[in-house]
Amino acid sequence: MSGHTMRAVTITEFGGPEVLTPEDVARPEPLPTEVLVRVHAAGINPVDWKTRTGQGMAGLQTFPLILGWDVSGVVEEVGFGVTTLEPGDEVYGMPWFPRAGGAYAEYVTAPARQWARKPSTVDHVHAAAVPLAALTAWQILVDTAHVQAGQRVLITAAAGGVGHFAVQFARHLGAHVTATASAARHPWLKDLGADETIDYTTTAFEEAAADVDVVVDLVGDGHDRTSTRALKTLSQGGLLVAVPGGVSPDLAAAADAAGVRTTGFLVEPDGPALTRIADLIDAGEVSVEVEKTFPLAEAATAHAHGEAGHTRGKLVLTTTD
């Protein structure tokens, strides 16, 4: 650590939003192969508040803890050995996940190759909304499910952070996309590329969708046994990617009995994928939805808003006026 300080939001114990405390802390310095990034905006994800309560990635953290993994900002300083970035470069990334990323702060350090150049057509607020959610959707569809043109993809909770990217990436890959969301979100999801929409509040989605090749389940069995119900929509040999909660023994047994496949998933830092995603954003193929922004000092309010549910797209903290 240097002699410089920065503003950050820390927690020293797990609990409700009130444990998020703005304070001055030591500013990190980049080690060899790392860069120091001046944070302009930090995205908020469900894993943030789950970790804050002692769930999520809590078992990998130590106190005091600076939450957050989504960052958009400007390279301030580079460590020895960095060849891909230089001071002044605008970058975005998901540093260190699932270890502490420290995004709720004015500065972060991380290996240079965990970053990518920020999409040039969006501001830092929208860029900060991208990394974790978009990488989750990309790595599920491209690297895990290997979605091909003409396949049928069902996405639950499609109006959320991961969901709205998954709809657009599946469309980009040439898939037929079915999205579940409340009826008010349907016109927007159709604009993003959904071929069909299902109002989960009035319709059992497993009765409305069939012959699906890939289900991206962003709800999980913890809520109305969504993952288990999703198995009924799959064609023989189809794949369910169960994101929240993963694959329980009961879910695995039900999948085997139905002749379908299932897997859990955890996103990882991926600079090259972020570069490809930035290209899609700059080409106008992918849009980024930000419902609301909050100043860094109001992180607790932002968490309470997110935990209330039904966010359209993402919530973002800003560190600059």
Side-chain angles (χ1 to χ4, degrees):
M1 293 290 182
S2 70
H4 299 97
T5 62
M6 65 177 182
R7 201 68 177 161
V9 175
T10 68
I11 67 171
T12 57
E13 61 180 338
F14 297 124
E18 70 279 358
V19 303
L20 292 159
T21 305
E23 61 177 334
D24 292 323
V25 301
R27 194 185 84 180
E29 288 187 336
L31 298 175
T33 74
E34 293 183 353
V35 296
L36 173 71
V37 172
R38 171 72 165 94
V39 179
H40 283 240
I44 298 173
N45 296 283
V47 68
D48 298 11
W49 59 75
K50 290 177 182 177
T51 300
R52 189 208 69 226
T53 64
Q55 304 174 64
M57 298 297 123
L60 303 176
Q61 315 306 324
T62 57
F63 295 125
L65 171 63
I66 301 175
L67 286 169
W69 286 276
D70 275 343
V71 174
S72 183
V74 178
V75 175
E76 184 93 356
E77 184 182 339
V78 300
F80 175 77
V82 173
T83 58
T84 57
L85 297 170
E86 58 185 28
D89 285 342
E90 293 189 319
V91 297
Y92 76 143
M94 187 190 70
W96 297 116
F97 191 85
R99 294 165 54 189
Y104 295 7
E106 292 180 322
Y107 293 90
V108 297
T109 55
R113 294 176 187 268
Q114 290 188 2
W115 303 93
R117 297 186 191 281
K118 180 184 77 67
S120 60
T121 56
V122 298
D123 58 17
H124 285 292
V125 165
H126 286 79
V130 174
L132 191 148
L135 284 176
T136 298
W138 184 269
Q139 291 172 7
I140 287 172
L141 294 166
V142 176
D143 302 327
T144 302
H146 307 291
V147 169
Q148 304 295 313
Q151 288 190 312
R152 301 178 67 87
V153 174
L154 169 66
I155 301 162
T156 64
V162 176
H164 89 289
F165 285 118
V167 168
Q168 295 177 86
F169 294 155
R171 176 203 60 187
H172 170 72
L173 295 168
H176 179 281
V177 183
T178 300
T180 74
S182 60
R185 309 293 200 207
H186 289 187
W188 172 56
L189 289 170
K190 290 287 186 69
D191 288 342
L192 293 183
D195 298 287
E196 299 178 55
T197 51
I198 299 171
D199 183 356
Y200 71 92
T201 69
T202 61
T203 304
F205 72 89
E206 68 273 23
E207 297 177 3
D211 298 321
V212 172
D213 297 292
V214 177
V215 174
V216 181
D217 179 29
L218 303 172
V219 178
D221 259 350
H223 182 79
D224 291 339
R225 295 183 59 79
T226 301
S227 292
T228 298
R229 291 162 52 206
L231 296 176
K232 300 177 183 178
T233 70
L234 287 165
S235 59
Q236 284 293 298
L239 174 66
L240 165 70
V241 184
V243 182
V247 181
S248 67
D250 287 346
L251 180 61
D256 286 342
V260 300
R261 299 170 294 141
T262 188
T263 183
F265 177 82
L266 188 65
V267 67
E268 59 184 303
D270 192 343
L274 283 176
T275 296
R276 295 179 67 183
I277 291 166
D279 289 342
L280 291 175
I281 293 171
D282 286 340
E285 289 196 44
V286 170
S287 64
V288 185
E289 185 75 8
V290 174
E291 179 177 283
K292 191 174 178 63
T293 63
F294 301 82
L296 181 65
E298 296 180 14
T301 302
H303 271 225
H305 183 93
E307 287 178 278
H310 306 294
T311 298
R312 171 167 155 163
K314 294 290 294 293
L315 306 175
V316 176
L317 300 174
T318 58
T319 64
T320 56
D321 295 333

